[in-house]
Amino acid sequence: MRIIGENFGPLINFDIKIKPFSIFIGPNASGKSYVAYLIWCLLRVEPDFDKLDKILQNHVKDIKDPNLTKGIKDFLKSSLYNPDLFYVELENLLKDTFSINEVSELIQEGTQEAKFIITNNSGSAKISFSLTKEKGLQLEKIEGIKNKIESLEIKTKRAIRNTSGIKVILSMKGEELYSLDLQSSKDIYKLSSFIPIVFEEIFDGYSPYFEIPLLPDGKAGLMRAHSAIVYLLMDRKWKPVIPLNAADAEFMRAFEILEPRIKDKEIANLASFIEEKMNAQFLLYHEPPKYVVKIRGLKMPIERASSGHREIAPLILTLKYGLIENAMLIMEEPEAHLHPDAHSIITRALARLSQFSDVLITTHSVYILDEISNLIKLNELNSMEKKELGYEEWEGIVPDDVGIYFFSFDGKVKSLEITEEGIEESGLDQVVLEMANAHARVESKFESKRVSKQYSTKL
């Protein structure tokens, strides 16, 4: 999946290919969160389900229909050739996420139009959008998908578990993508689940209306106020105006409905890895207090925990109970409120997570970049060598799985080169070097003045 844009927010242009582990770096207000939230909106936007259901009913009515496979393919073609169906709510979602009255506020100052494009990695398939002051958000065109849609193959066979049901198999160019069981004609609505699978295949991992966990900036504050805000939101007698943007509101909703039931054991093990390294345990209960942290044997509600523990709690709970394989996690500033040692621990866990689900983070931490370089080099070492260095056998990441993008104040985004030797010198490294040089200059001037003062005293 790639996203390309121009004149969006503070950015003149950007071209970002989402890798298993994508990192946005750069100074404050350079546009990192703008792109991260845009990606979240494009993934999270929901289609017009009523229209989608009508299209399905027009083409498929009975699983015993002899023309069932043709009907299913016609349904998919009718839906995918009608992209407005999937982005009808995108304008409102952008407004709610960026807390703006009109989407034209997202156009870079001094320009008349903003654009962004979702494309596959090669750029052959595209969904193009524009933002103007007169028309707002417009879906301009969708291109490069016809041949792939025509190559879709639908097959059916008798379902194993139910002799009266059928298994529907979706393939493209001979490769099976997905299958589902229809026990009766009442299950026909399940065929809509083919649509995101086809999107993913065409656009190299992109599909709308996915549940995408987004852990926003300010997690510590939101977790401290979580119970109070949820209580106020649910109190029907008093409806205060609580100015939450769509991302924060989704964050609150997601944690309110979390159940203490592990969704994916491999991913949940990463939560245990962080807990062990940080000497803390994060607990989720059915009854209040729902969120509890246990630190050195002492249990306390998350509201009373330190800012660092409150900041990291959403990641731990998401890994345990909210994330499944082949999904995506977007997280702003995972280093916030944490000691530098914890930056390394979180990076190691997120790098491992990227082998199961895509990870996108924004960060200001040099320690995170240093740890990524370590993990790239670590990938070349054997298990014994990793253990000697204090790492786990499973740790390491290949350069091709990492994408690091530097957002600069000039409104441009640069992709950093990543090799087996690690990451090229980044803007953050340059900042550290400049600070060190500034300190050295002050030290030199101070030392010179001190020596001169001692010499004068002796005279």
Side-chain angles (χ1 to χ4, degrees), residues 169-270:
I169 303 164
L170 174 69
S171 302
M172 183 179 285
K173 296 181 179 179
E175 179 183 353
E176 182 176 326
L177 302 179
Y178 189 64
S179 66
L180 58 84
D181 290 338
L182 303 182
Q183 302 300 323
S184 70
S185 294
K186 292 181 180 179
D187 291 336
I188 283 174
Y189 72 92
K190 294 180 181 179
L191 291 169
S192 294
S193 64
F194 280 163
I195 290 175
I197 304 301
V198 177
F199 261 102
E200 281 192 284
E201 183 66 20
I202 294 174
F203 293 100
D204 292 330
Y206 168 72
S207 175
Y209 74 100
F210 264 13
E211 289 286 343
I212 304 296
L214 188 152
L215 308 184
D217 184 24
K219 295 175 286 295
L222 289 171
M223 290 304 290
R224 179 166 57 190
H226 187 278
S227 297
I229 292 175
V230 169
Y231 175 80
L232 292 175
L233 289 173
M234 295 179 67
D235 186 350
R236 296 183 179 181
K237 294 180 180 178
W238 182 51
K239 294 184 178 180
V241 177
I242 301 178
L244 288 178
N245 64 35
D248 289 349
E250 180 70 9
F251 171 82
M252 302 292 275
R253 185 196 68 82
F255 279 91
E256 185 59 23
I257 64 174
L258 271 185
E259 290 289 331
R261 183 172 59 250
I262 290 174
K263 288 189 173 182
D264 187 295
K265 187 176 291 186
E266 290 277 5
I267 293 176
N269 285 340
L270 296 176

Side-chain angles (χ1 to χ4, degrees), residues 221-320:
L222 289 171
M223 290 304 290
R224 179 166 57 190
H226 187 278
S227 297
I229 292 175
V230 169
Y231 175 80
L232 292 175
L233 289 173
M234 295 179 67
D235 186 350
R236 296 183 179 181
K237 294 180 180 178
W238 182 51
K239 294 184 178 180
V241 177
I242 301 178
L244 288 178
N245 64 35
D248 289 349
E250 180 70 9
F251 171 82
M252 302 292 275
R253 185 196 68 82
F255 279 91
E256 185 59 23
I257 64 174
L258 271 185
E259 290 289 331
R261 183 172 59 250
I262 290 174
K263 288 189 173 182
D264 187 295
K265 187 176 291 186
E266 290 277 5
I267 293 176
N269 285 340
L270 296 176
S272 300
F273 168 78
I274 299 173
E275 288 177 317
E276 180 183 348
K277 296 294 183 182
M278 294 187 66
N279 195 24
Q281 187 177 7
F282 295 82
L283 307 171
L284 176 65
Y285 296 107
H286 286 291
E287 302 295 330
K290 288 188 66 175
Y291 314 103
V292 173
V293 60
K294 185 177 180 182
I295 306 170
R296 294 187 292 278
L298 178 64
K299 285 185 178 181
M300 65 185 75
I302 196 67
E303 292 86 352
R304 295 212 323 259
S306 71
S307 60
H309 288 96
R310 281 186 278 112
E311 189 73 29
I312 206 62
L315 175 61
I316 299 291
L317 296 174
T318 298
L319 292 175
K320 281 185 179 181

